[in-house]
Amino acid sequence: MTTSSESHLHRSTFGILSVTAAAALALSACAPEDDSPAADDTAQVEDSPSPETEEAETDTDTDQTDEATDEGTETDDATDEPTEGTETDEATDEPTEDAGTDASSDHPVYQAIDAALAEYPDGVITQFEDNTDDDGYVEVYVYDGSTEWELDVDSESFEIISTEDNGIDSDDEEEAQAVEIDITEALQTAEDESGGQPHEGELDTDNGTVVWEFEMDNDVDVDVDVATGDVVTVDD
């Protein structure tokens, strides 16, 4: 009798333990999985840059900024350097030797000669006379290769107001054909030698040399070689 009761008690105890274990397993399976704080802390530690890394990145950014600043400074320095164009502009502002030529070219004789040569581009000036004060025009003679034209050029508008075929003899034609330099060059030479301005002039032959014989407005006569541009004689 006692043995039977103990056996029954043992089986009851085992059954209770089995039920308890099964319930615990069921509760464990149904319970939600909690995020591991330790794992989160580890991830945060891995994501957070170390102080050394932050310092290295800061130094790199600073170096890059300094390099960019240096490049900008070099660019500004290069911009501040004068360019060849600037030097050219400064050189242009300096007075040139042609300033005197420009001033002389405003004289009615020069303007009349330009007008005559514009009408006869291949012509040679053989003679001129400034009649601006008396008649308001400049008289210019041009050899065109076959004949000599007499032109009257207005002293204000510098338009040709009269044209006449003057013909040419053999001696005058030979003198015209001997001309090699521009008459304005010879006039500049005469002005430099005399200190005056042209009043009248003509082709002539002086001791076998063909010259432009210029009479200046200060009563100085200057003969200029038509081939070389050299001064042959000055008579004041």
Side-chain angles (χ1 to χ4, degrees), residues 186-230:
L187 283 171
Q188 285 295 318
T189 301
E191 287 189 10
D192 293 341
E193 287 291 330
S194 66
Q197 292 184 315
H199 175 65
E200 63 179 284
E202 64 179 349
L203 287 175
D204 197 6
T205 301
D206 184 4
N207 295 324
T209 301
V210 179
V211 297
W212 267 305
E213 186 178 76
F214 298 126
E215 181 181 329
M216 313 304 287
D217 61 1
N218 58 356
D219 296 327
V220 177
D221 294 336
V222 182
D223 292 352
V224 179
D225 192 315
V226 300
T228 64
D230 295 334

Side-chain angles (χ1 to χ4, degrees), residues 11-218:
R11 286 196 300 270
S12 297
T13 301
F14 179 77
I16 292 171
L17 291 174
S18 298
V19 171
T20 302
L25 289 174
L27 291 173
S28 176
C30 294
E33 294 181 0
D34 295 332
D35 294 334
S36 173
D40 292 341
D41 293 340
T42 302
Q44 292 177 0
V45 169
E46 290 178 355
D47 294 338
S48 300
S50 65
E52 294 179 357
T53 303
E54 290 179 355
E55 290 178 1
E57 291 177 354
T58 301
D59 291 341
T60 301
D61 293 339
T62 302
D63 292 341
Q64 291 177 352
T65 302
D66 292 340
E67 290 176 1
T69 303
D70 292 340
E71 291 178 358
T73 303
E74 292 176 359
T75 302
D76 293 339
D77 292 341
T79 304
D80 294 336
E81 293 179 1
T83 61
E84 294 181 0
T86 303
E87 293 176 356
T88 302
D89 293 339
E90 293 175 356
T92 303
D93 294 336
E94 296 178 1
T96 63
E97 296 180 357
D98 294 334
T101 302
D102 293 339
S104 297
S105 64
D106 291 336
H107 191 277
V109 167
Y110 287 89
Q111 300 277 18
I113 288 173
D114 287 343
L117 293 177
E119 185 72 16
Y120 299 95
D122 298 325
V124 175
I125 305 299
T126 59
Q127 185 177 345
F128 68 84
E129 183 175 359
D130 185 9
N131 299 313
T132 300
D133 293 339
D134 296 332
D135 301 315
Y137 66 87
V138 179
E139 193 174 54
V140 182
Y141 294 78
V142 184
Y143 171 67
D144 67 356
S146 60
T147 190
E148 185 179 63
W149 296 93
E150 179 183 347
L151 310 177
D152 292 342
V153 182
D154 187 275
S155 298
E156 293 185 357
S157 66
F158 302 107
E159 295 181 356
I160 298 173
I161 57 179
S162 175
T163 303
E164 182 180 347
D165 186 350
N166 195 50
I168 192 168
D169 60 33
S170 59
D171 291 341
D172 290 343
E173 188 170 29
E174 287 180 4
E175 290 174 346
Q177 292 173 347
V179 175
E180 296 183 15
I181 66 170
D182 192 271
I183 188 173
T184 57
E185 180 182 341
L187 283 171
Q188 285 295 318
T189 301
E191 287 189 10
D192 293 341
E193 287 291 330
S194 66
Q197 292 184 315
H199 175 65
E200 63 179 284
E202 64 179 349
L203 287 175
D204 197 6
T205 301
D206 184 4
N207 295 324
T209 301
V210 179
V211 297
W212 267 305
E213 186 178 76
F214 298 126
E215 181 181 329
M216 313 304 287
D217 61 1
N218 58 356

